[in-house]
Amino acid sequence: MAELRTPYFRVEEAKLLHNLEILKKVQEEAGCKILLAQKAFSMFACYPLLRRYLAGSAASGLYEARLGKEHFGGETHVFSPAYRADEFEELLAYADHFVFNSPAQLDKYAAKAKATGKQVGLRLNPQCSTQEGHAIYDPCAPGSRLGTTLENFRPDQLPLLDGLHFHTLCEQDADDLETTVEALEAQFGPYLKEMKWLNLGGGHHITRPGYQTGRLIALVRRLKETYGVEVYLEPGEAVVLNAGVLVTSVLETIHNGMDIAILDTSAACHMPDVLEMPYRPPLRGSGQPGEKEYTYRLGGPTCLAGDVIGDYSFDTPLREGDRLIFEDMALYTMVKTNTFNGMPLPAIVWRDRDGSDTVVRSFGYKDFKTRLS
Ligand SMILES: *Cc1c(COP(=O)(O)O)cnc(C)c1O
């Protein structure tokens, strides 16, 4: 079989199934529902598979809600910090659970949603930061626009509410969730009994080896018993953790005080979290700089000086055409790619459980051009 043209994302069924089995067990043992947060992963070609395990999908707005409704099925939940008046009617056709960000948004839209039989929820800000280092991922940071604080909460709106929602975690374990739920109960406890459901958002690293699954299950059970609510989780990352790779080729090597390899993939265009977060993605078969004999700085072919993926070492020198495999590239990658510099978008490949690869989608000049005019 001819080698596929790089760069491409390859999502692997066996790895996806591994995660889905874990999530299924959590749903069964905790008695909760798990939704895919599509903003992390929207490869709708595998939604039919995900749907066999998950209760539905969570959307950040109109387009994701439509994709979820049309391709995922099950329940379609949507949250937006501010809905648009000119989109709301259409959104009613796609979503069944609407989570609002503020009392003002409830005033504007909740009656409309309820009139068409939709579930209505409010996102809370329990003002409980449990993560360090990544302020851009902390919805509880001072000045946050995400969620309603106790000060702004309006008990007169309780009759509008079917549920409450919070999302405050990022790649975290169940101990931080416990801390957050304690803060939530201390502030909003009296209202929880009046709700049909509680949505604990995403950021639960459930499929990471060592995650405290037992604590999560115990917590969900306690919430259900104490308040009589149905519990939702809406992880993105955990659904596709380690389920895909980005395959790239070396285009050229040069030397400027150190060895440098230019790849046919770009941090800025194909894995922007590497620069935004920032982090150094794992690369199969490589070591830390200096650990193996040949160390290279790996960079993209764009004009951005900082389009650098990281420094890695190898057992043998890199040569033109060598293929490199970045790990854990299913999440927050395909959904964030761009064509800066006219960079081509990586193809999307599916590896089924028997190990055979299919190109689900490839991109060309048209995909670059049609986003411009
Ligand atoms: C980002 C987000 C999620 C998913 O978060 P992960 O870290 O990918 O699990 C879920 N719900 C909301 C409201 C989000 O903003």
Side-chain angles (χ1 to χ4, degrees):
M1 202 183 84
E3 277 195 300
L4 299 171
R5 186 173 193 267
T6 58
Y8 60 88
F9 293 109
R10 184 178 68 220
V11 175
E12 308 189 5
E13 184 177 21
K15 305 222 168 117
L16 209 47
L17 285 169
H18 166 83
N19 291 347
L20 291 168
E21 290 294 344
I22 294 172
L23 298 172
K24 183 179 165 197
K25 195 162 160 267
V26 168
Q27 287 182 111
E28 285 170 358
E29 293 187 11
C32 65
K33 289 185 176 173
I34 299 185
L35 312 167
L36 167 72
Q38 295 181 88
K39 74 161 199 249
F41 181 76
S42 302
M43 183 179 163
F44 53 92
C46 45
Y47 282 6
L49 172 67
L50 300 184
R51 175 67 187 108
R52 300 214 313 261
Y53 292 82
L54 305 178
S57 64
S60 318
L62 183 68
Y63 293 169
E64 284 185 0
R66 180 172 177 178
L67 195 69
K69 174 79 176 173
E70 292 180 352
H71 290 271
F72 204 105
E75 295 183 19
T76 307
H77 293 225
V78 63
F79 162 77
S80 174
Y83 291 96
R84 294 180 61 111
D86 59 0
E87 286 180 358
F88 201 77
E89 283 298 319
E90 191 185 351
L91 199 49
L92 286 169
Y94 307 133
D96 39 63
H97 285 60
F98 285 75
V99 177
F100 297 95
N101 191 51
S102 63
Q105 286 275 297
L106 278 176
D107 276 342
K108 263 189 218 166
Y109 297 112
K112 262 189 202 151
K114 292 209 85 92
T116 48
K118 307 298 177 180
Q119 296 275 308
V120 167
L122 179 68
R123 177 170 175 169
L124 302 173
N125 175 358
Q127 295 179 285
C128 174
S129 292
T130 51
Q131 44 182 315
E132 293 130 36
H134 291 133
I136 68 164
Y137 299 116
D138 183 6
C140 295
S144 170
R145 72 189 181 291
L146 300 168
T148 297
T149 59
L150 183 61
E151 189 192 352
N152 290 322
F153 186 78
R154 281 188 18 213
D156 67 289
Q157 291 182 319
L158 281 168
L160 293 172
L161 295 177
D162 299 295
L164 293 170
H165 174 288
F166 69 83
H167 169 72
T168 66
L169 305 181
C170 178
E171 301 186 343
Q172 281 164 279
D173 217 318
D175 51 352
D176 288 331
L177 177 62
E178 284 170 3
T179 305
T180 305
V181 166
E182 275 164 33
L184 183 89
E185 289 177 287
Q187 299 167 48
F188 300 96
Y191 308 126
L192 287 175
K193 274 209 169 93
E194 298 182 41
M195 296 298 135
K196 290 199 194 95
W197 48 266
L198 177 63
N199 185 324
L200 311 181
H204 317 284
H205 229 188
I206 304 171
T207 50
R208 173 174 48 72
Y211 179 88
Q212 302 152 330
T213 314
R215 281 172 84 160
L216 172 66
I217 292 168
L219 176 64
V220 170
R221 285 191 185 157
R222 180 177 73 73
L223 288 168
K224 291 181 56 163
E225 269 162 38
T226 311
Y227 302 106
V229 286
E230 190 167 3
V231 173
Y232 289 98
L233 303 172
E234 47 181 27
E237 177 153 349
V239 178
V240 288
L241 188 66
N242 292 314
V245 297
L246 173 56
V247 184
T248 178
S249 299
V250 175
L251 296 177
E252 192 60 271
T253 56
I254 56 173
H255 192 90
N256 177 17
M258 65 185 302
D259 287 321
I260 299 162
I262 299 168
L263 310 181
D264 64 3
T265 191
S266 153
C269 300
H270 303 155
M271 40 184 142
D273 274 4
V274 164
L275 304 181
E276 262 177 42
M277 229 176 153
Y279 80 107
R280 175 183 175 276
L283 176 60
R284 192 172 296 178
S286 73
Q288 293 294 327
E291 189 183 330
K292 296 178 181 250
E293 195 170 342
Y294 302 95
T295 294
Y296 289 84
R297 174 158 297 170
L298 304 182
T302 71
C303 69
L304 176 71
D307 190 358
V308 167
I309 301 153
D311 295 351
Y312 298 84
S313 65
F314 302 88
D315 291 323
T316 54
L318 292 180
R319 308 219 182 280
E320 180 187 346
D322 284 353
R323 293 197 164 206
L324 303 178
I325 300 177
F326 288 102
E327 306 277 8
D328 198 17
M329 280 291 163
L331 51 97
Y332 294 104
T333 49
M334 274 177 253
V335 291
K336 296 187 101 174
T337 52
N338 64 76
T339 58
F340 179 50
N341 274 229
M343 276 290 290
L345 296 168
I348 296 172
V349 173
W350 173 250
R351 172 166 289 182
D352 71 19
R353 68 189 87 177
D354 304 321
S356 66
D357 291 343
T358 309
V359 180
V360 177
R361 178 88 155 88
S362 54
F363 301 93
Y365 172 66
K366 244 196 210 150
D367 298 289
F368 161 64
K369 187 182 172 190
T370 52
R371 295 174 62 240
L372 302 164
S373 72

